[in-house]
Amino acid sequence: MDFAQTEEQRDLAALARRILTERVTPDRLAALEAGVLAGTGEPRFDRELWAELAKANLLGVGVPAEYGGLGYGVLEECLVLEEAGRVLAPVPLWASATVAAGAIAAYGTEAQRRDWLPGLVGGEKIVTVALAEPRGADAAAPATTATRLAGAGFGPDGGVGPDGGVGPGGGWRLDGIRTAVPFATVADAVLVPARAGTGVGLFLVDPAAAGVTIEPQVTTAREVAGLLRLDGVVVGDDALLGGPASTPEGDAAAVAVRDRATLGLCALQLGVTERATRAAAEYTSNRQQFGRPIGSFQAVGHRLADCYIDVEAIRLTMWQAAWQLAEGWDASAAVATAKFWAADGGHRVASAVVHVHGGMGIAEEYFVHRYFLHAKQLEFTLGGAGEQARRLGDLMAATPAPDHVV
């Protein structure tokens, strides 16, 4: 495996870094967070930055060129997400431009791709992903249900009719609760995995549909997410990614979306932890105590050395998983390994960075504390270290040993 970046990949990362570092500053983040903490209901969403990223076509990195995107793949998406994590970018790059856009491009019908992808690339539309459940441990094994419907009350196209029913063209009833749905309060649609018979279907749900309620939530990282309730929500077959011809008979698509989403979190965590470690290195090089920089003290130096090792472990395992996905391999084990390090190593880095900053590390108005909050949120999103270890154990147990092993 070769992790060396191509010239195009370096240029893409440099473009993302330039735009993000110029526009995302601690003062700008503080202003956005002030509205969240004041309870105004405004999301931590920089629309001007979103428009600038769309102008640079950074919202369509993995979208095929025929729908307005750049036509790259998972490696390039991770490069951009790493840069977003480095500055704690207040935009739905992970949820909308990566996970949702990737799922629609990979599994959507031609009509679904035409309806959604150009708008996602241009920044006019936002599709978020509802992957977490209050007591769910695996985004690919949801408790949310999709029940097949047929009956009266249908429109001429066999879709949802005037009275909310569905006709012979088919349809679904969705029931369940999803939590911590990113940017749910500003999304045009929510991608919801739901148990449908013998498999898992991916459904595009209109937040304004009957039976859908979204309750704003404020996350650890001071982002406005949403508690999504689906109570007898009726959708047509056109809401199912792939349409009626893809009636779920397995979990492959759900697993692929879960793995792609989890990998994106690892890329964000790499950016968060690397920037936090560099901030700690700079601080301890300049902070004087007993006539010496505190970074020269052995205890401080050792902690930062451990941070460096953890960051490099997050980097290595993330790129290994990304490479396997880019090659079309079954990368579930590699993704779980990467998320284990992103969670476990991210926890150690976040704690150490706060510690070596002393009182400054716990001051909420100081920018370093923001990195602690984001690292903690990323640690637990879609499963912490314990959940990833259990998933790895299950994968190993399900893999038959070679015949020659006794």
Side-chain angles (χ1 to χ4, degrees), residues 5-312:
Q5 296 175 6
T6 65
E7 183 177 354
E8 284 186 336
Q9 289 172 336
R10 290 193 296 270
D11 289 344
L12 181 69
L15 174 62
R17 179 174 293 197
R18 178 180 63 79
I19 294 173
L20 290 166
T21 53
E22 286 178 358
R23 293 187 168 269
V24 184
T25 64
D27 288 344
R28 179 59 175 159
L29 291 176
L32 291 169
E33 289 168 1
V36 173
L37 297 179
T40 63
E42 287 297 314
R44 183 181 173 275
F45 181 20
D46 191 332
R47 294 182 182 276
E48 294 180 4
L49 172 61
W50 191 243
E52 189 67 20
L53 292 170
K55 183 179 178 181
N57 212 358
L58 290 174
L59 304 185
V61 172
V63 174
E66 61 190 291
Y67 304 104
L70 293 177
Y72 289 128
V74 64
L75 298 174
E76 290 77 14
E77 286 179 335
C78 286
L79 286 171
V80 175
L81 288 174
E82 180 185 347
E83 297 302 331
R86 199 184 305 277
V87 299
L88 313 179
V91 289
L93 265 173
W94 172 74
S96 185
T98 302
V99 185
I104 294 170
Y107 303 107
T109 63
E110 182 59 29
Q112 289 167 337
R113 292 170 184 161
R114 288 197 310 268
D115 287 345
W116 289 103
L117 292 180
L120 292 177
V121 171
E124 297 92 6
K125 294 181 179 179
I126 294 173
V127 178
T128 189
V129 287
L131 299 180
E133 291 181 321
R135 287 172 293 278
D138 186 352
T144 299
T145 60
T147 306
R148 196 79 166 107
L149 299 176
F154 53 88
D157 60 354
V160 179
D163 64 354
V166 291
W172 303 85
R173 171 183 167 138
L174 304 179
D175 295 275
I177 300 176
R178 319 296 289 191
T179 188
V181 182
F183 294 89
T185 57
V186 296
D188 298 287
V190 183
L191 184 64
V192 181
R195 176 65 57 182
T198 59
V200 176
L202 302 172
F203 294 85
L204 286 165
V205 178
D206 182 353
V212 178
T213 58
I214 296 176
E215 178 183 338
Q217 298 171 307
V218 178
T219 71
T220 298
R222 298 173 181 168
E223 296 175 330
V224 174
L227 180 67
L228 173 70
R229 298 181 187 273
L230 305 172
D231 185 9
V233 178
V234 178
V235 298
D237 277 330
D238 58 351
L240 174 63
L241 281 195
S246 68
T247 299
E249 294 297 340
D251 300 338
V255 169
V257 170
R258 178 202 68 193
D259 287 349
R260 191 77 167 262
T262 304
L263 178 67
L265 295 173
C266 297
L268 288 170
Q269 186 75 304
L270 174 59
V272 170
T273 54
E274 183 177 53
R275 177 67 182 89
T277 299
R278 288 184 181 277
E282 181 179 356
Y283 179 81
T284 57
S285 296
N286 296 322
R287 176 76 166 87
Q288 297 279 327
Q289 190 63 265
F290 305 111
R292 297 168 55 189
I294 63 173
S296 66
F297 301 149
Q298 197 172 61
V300 176
H302 284 178
R303 290 212 72 178
L304 291 185
D306 288 340
C307 286
Y308 175 81
I309 292 171
D310 278 326
V311 170
E312 291 307 301

